[in-house]
Amino acid sequence: MGFSTQIEAVAYCRTPYKQKFGIPRQPGLVDFVRGFVELTAPYNHIDAVRGLEQYSHLWLLFCFHENLAQGWKTTVRPPRLGGNEKLGVFATRSTFRPNGIGQSVVKLHRIHQGKGKVILEISGMDLLDGTPIIDIKPYIPFSDAIPEAIGGIAQQAPEQLEVNFSHLAVEQLIRLDKRYPGLDKLIQAVLAQDPRPAYKKGKPDPKRYQVALYDLDIFWHAHEQGIEVETIQPFCA
Ligand code: SAM
């Protein structure tokens, strides 16, 4: 019998990203968005993170928990290749993989402590709200960063689209500003990544899309020049 072990969450991640569609496809693509990593018992002891404040960035190892039930596939069609070409699962960052483990580098801002809680304030994550974190490690620049590395089909960050707001969306943003400061910047940064499947890009696309941020549904469509946000609504019950 081969090696097997049991893994449990050491923390859960809180992010504004409430559904998979629309989450940046790698960390750092939307770098200002804050999230929180809340350690769970018995790891929620300040001693477990003693010294971590000396690092600016962290590796989060996590579980693609929303996709676990669907298992893994030997080959996948990376969105970057328009869904036309297959690559081996180990040649991609597919979320459908054996063991369902993801890894992301994020920026560490602060460590909050109190009332039995230890919470890491981070930014730049590409994680769904509620993602189980299975390990946390400091990012070590001298060995983790390899400037001359070759990035295969992902050598550069994807191009960004221009994002505009309809008159209605601008009015809604003004009303929502107190409760969600910087919401316009967040929506713009998320949609500029163009969450649509790659085969839709550069073609007429009449579809109305929706992404979920905080407890809001953002409805939008793409046009030749970019993306227009139509309306912003609280989640429908
Ligand atoms: N940086 C990580 C890596 O390379 O292992 C993740 C890359 S993966 C392509 C990023 C995507 O995973 C996000 O855009 C989102 O759609 C999806 N995702 C994030 N958290 C998830 C979760 N908890 N369960 C399933 N899918 C998730």
Side-chain angles (χ1 to χ4, degrees):
M1 206 174 77
F3 168 80
S4 86
T5 188
Q6 223 178 343
I7 286 179
E8 62 176 10
V10 299
Y12 288 90
C13 195
R14 292 277 148 226
T15 79
Y17 304 125
K18 303 291 179 180
Q19 66 181 27
K20 287 181 286 180
F21 181 65
I23 301 179
R25 293 188 173 112
Q26 284 302 335
L29 290 173
V30 177
D31 61 1
F32 58 88
V33 177
R34 297 282 170 116
F36 299 91
V37 173
E38 181 166 348
L39 277 80
T40 52
Y43 313 103
N44 58 340
H45 198 287
I46 196 66
D47 280 351
V49 292
R50 192 192 295 177
L52 197 60
E53 73 285 351
Q54 298 170 42
Y55 295 87
S56 64
H57 291 76
L58 306 176
W59 281 108
L60 296 180
L61 301 183
F62 61 92
C63 184
F64 290 113
H65 72 305
E66 283 248 324
N67 292 357
L68 278 183
Q70 291 155 74
W72 66 281
K73 298 184 192 88
T74 316
T75 57
V76 295
R77 297 172 190 272
R80 272 195 189 242
L81 298 179
N84 299 322
E85 217 180 300
K86 286 184 177 177
L87 292 180
V89 62
F90 298 127
T92 73
R93 296 296 188 96
S94 170
T95 60
F96 301 96
R97 48 196 319 118
N99 299 316
I101 293 176
Q103 59 185 91
S104 294
V105 176
V106 297
K107 187 169 166 63
L108 174 65
H109 293 272
R110 260 187 84 181
I111 301 177
H112 302 266
Q113 179 204 3
K115 295 186 184 159
K117 290 184 189 249
V118 176
I119 299 174
L120 313 181
E121 185 172 343
I122 58 165
S123 65
M125 61 283 156
D126 53 349
L127 273 62
L128 186 66
D129 186 45
T131 295
I133 306 296
I134 57 171
D135 206 354
I136 299 165
K137 302 185 188 196
Y139 176 86
I140 301 176
F142 85 83
S143 94
D144 290 350
I146 304 173
E148 72 279 16
I150 296 168
I153 61 163
Q155 187 65 30
Q156 280 160 359
E159 248 178 63
Q160 301 213 348
L161 294 186
E162 205 169 300
V163 179
N164 295 304
F165 294 92
S166 69
H167 290 302
L168 174 62
V170 170
E171 284 169 15
Q172 292 167 327
L173 279 172
I174 293 168
R175 280 201 296 275
L176 290 164
D177 187 56
K178 263 214 175 98
R179 189 154 171 219
Y180 306 95
L183 180 63
D184 53 342
K185 207 173 147 216
L186 171 61
I187 295 173
Q188 251 167 346
V190 164
L191 297 185
Q193 307 297 319
D194 197 352
R196 297 175 302 157
Y199 71 87
K200 296 263 190 184
K201 293 175 189 177
K203 295 190 190 128
D205 181 1
K207 191 171 163 179
R208 188 181 198 228
Y209 293 90
Q210 168 262 341
V211 296
L213 298 172
Y214 299 115
D215 55 355
L216 300 169
D217 278 325
I218 322 294
F219 292 93
W220 55 278
H221 67 267
H223 51 80
E224 269 175 36
Q225 287 77 40
I227 280 175
E228 177 165 303
V229 179
E230 295 175 12
T231 176
I232 303 164
Q233 294 170 6
F235 278 163
C236 303

